[in-house]
Amino acid sequence: MNKPFDKLKLHGFNNLTKSLSFSIYDICYAKTEQQRKEYIEYIDEQYSADRLTDILGEVVDIIGANILNVARQDYEPQGASVTILVSEEPVEEQQNYDADEAPGPLPDSVVAHLDKSHICVHTYPEAHPDDGICTFRADIEVSTCGIISPLKALNFLIHSLESDVVTIDYRVRGFTRDINGVKHYIDHAINSIQNFMTEDTKEAYQMMDVNVYQENLFHTKMMLKETDLNTYLFGLSTDELSDDEEEEIRSKLTREMQEIFYGRNLPETE
């Protein structure tokens, strides 16, 4: 991989498009049909289009952008989508923008700017009709055009959303020209998405990279290492379960997380 210049003197605007997209999965166990129904209702209420609009609106405020347009929709029987078009506020001293490969700031100190960009989220709650496993997925995309990278928002988003499994993609598209007319296909150094995460996040998750450096394409998978079964039970607690029931539920939850993490169905065990 060619190392990009530390500072590029550009001919006109930076035309690189940087897209950060990821799916977060929250997994739980609901024993009865009624509990599974209540779980879907709970998720739909917690992540309605209005609530998602408020969440993304807070993100836009934190990164210092302007909202141009909001499109939102709730779906039947469940799920919601929100897309926000945003524009950059005037940026002074752009040459001081920090493009180092390091975690972005936490929610209380995030300041960034976007141009010709968008933030969107789509939700997909579902419940298995037989074995009690319920999985909520939220797909989020932050796409920017200009000098900044949406990777600086990754730390904020991970710390704002609790999740059991996360799959992340980062891609730099297009090119920009310097004052000599030479094309540059990336304007910042990057070795791994993991380098933009805090140490506590990397310690909490099992992680795996699949990167294609020559295409400026980076992929990271994350799966939570340690789990408290009570945080995965909807409508009941471990006090209501026998040892055998606990073991069976743990096995189901572990299998669900591993299949999502590895992206394939695992063989049945006796």
Side-chain angles (χ1 to χ4, degrees):
M1 177 180 64
N2 293 328
K3 182 178 178 181
F5 293 106
D6 292 333
K7 292 183 179 180
L8 297 178
K9 293 184 178 180
L10 300 179
H11 173 71
F13 182 73
N14 188 328
N15 290 312
L16 291 170
T17 298
K18 304 160 188 174
S19 297
L20 174 69
S21 60
F22 60 101
S23 298
I24 65 167
Y25 296 85
D26 181 72
I27 300 161
C28 81
Y29 175 83
K31 187 175 183 179
T32 68
E33 181 180 352
Q34 180 62 30
Q35 288 171 343
R36 291 191 285 272
K37 178 182 177 182
E38 290 172 356
Y39 168 78
I40 296 297
E41 292 173 350
Y42 166 79
I43 288 296
D44 259 3
E45 180 180 350
Q46 287 293 108
Y47 297 97
S48 66
D50 286 343
R51 174 80 189 287
L52 291 171
T53 301
D54 291 340
I55 293 173
L56 294 190
E58 291 176 4
V59 172
V60 172
D61 288 340
I62 289 170
I63 62 179
N66 293 313
I67 295 177
L68 299 177
N69 183 62
V70 178
R72 56 189 176 188
Q73 181 65 52
D74 288 302
Y75 301 110
E76 290 291 344
Q78 65 257 347
S81 296
V82 177
T83 299
I84 298 181
L85 298 181
V86 294
S87 66
E88 180 187 67
E89 293 181 347
V91 180
E92 297 180 358
E93 299 182 356
Q94 289 188 345
Q95 67 273 18
N96 293 328
Y97 175 73
D98 179 13
D100 291 340
E101 191 177 22
L106 289 169
D108 59 354
S109 59
V110 171
V111 178
H113 303 273
L114 302 176
D115 183 57
K116 298 180 181 176
S117 310
H118 70 271
I119 304 173
C120 63
V121 59
H122 308 282
T123 67
Y124 306 89
E126 61 92 25
H128 192 288
D130 299 321
D131 65 6
I133 293 295
C134 303
T135 303
F136 168 68
R137 181 176 112 239
D139 290 348
I140 301 173
E141 179 171 305
V142 182
S143 182
T144 69
C145 186
I147 64 169
I148 72 167
S149 168
L151 285 166
K152 291 300 180 181
L154 178 61
N155 198 36
F156 166 78
L157 292 167
I158 289 178
H159 280 261
S160 299
L161 301 167
E162 295 183 2
S163 53
D164 301 309
V165 180
V166 187
T167 60
I168 310 170
D169 293 288
Y170 177 65
R171 177 78 182 271
V172 181
R173 294 182 172 86
F175 63 85
T176 192
R177 296 181 189 270
D178 64 23
I179 56 175
N180 297 315
V182 177
K183 300 183 186 72
H184 296 273
Y185 298 90
I186 192 167
D187 62 353
H188 65 93
I190 176 172
N191 176 262
S192 170
I193 295 173
Q194 294 187 39
N195 294 339
F196 292 85
M197 301 178 192
T198 53
E199 288 301 319
D200 62 329
T201 300
K202 288 188 280 189
E203 291 174 0
Y205 287 86
Q206 174 185 341
M207 296 192 186
M208 180 172 65
D209 278 2
V210 181
N211 300 323
V212 186
Y213 296 108
Q214 64 270 28
E215 298 295 335
N216 295 324
L217 178 62
F218 305 86
H219 177 75
T220 297
K221 297 180 179 182
M222 306 167 57
M223 181 170 62
L224 204 60
K225 293 178 182 177
E226 298 184 7
T227 58
D228 176 4
L229 183 57
N230 275 309
T231 63
Y232 289 85
L233 301 178
F234 187 86
L236 73 161
S237 70
T238 53
D239 294 336
E240 305 170 57
L241 301 173
S242 67
D243 291 343
D244 288 343
E245 285 177 317
E246 279 196 39
E247 183 178 353
E248 180 183 2
I249 293 170
R250 287 183 187 275
S251 177
K252 289 180 178 180
L253 290 167
T254 299
R255 181 186 182 87
E256 182 80 357
M257 291 174 63
Q258 289 180 342
E259 288 187 339
I260 295 171
F261 179 75
Y262 292 110
R264 64 178 183 271
N265 294 323
L266 300 178
E268 295 288 344
T269 57
E270 297 183 359

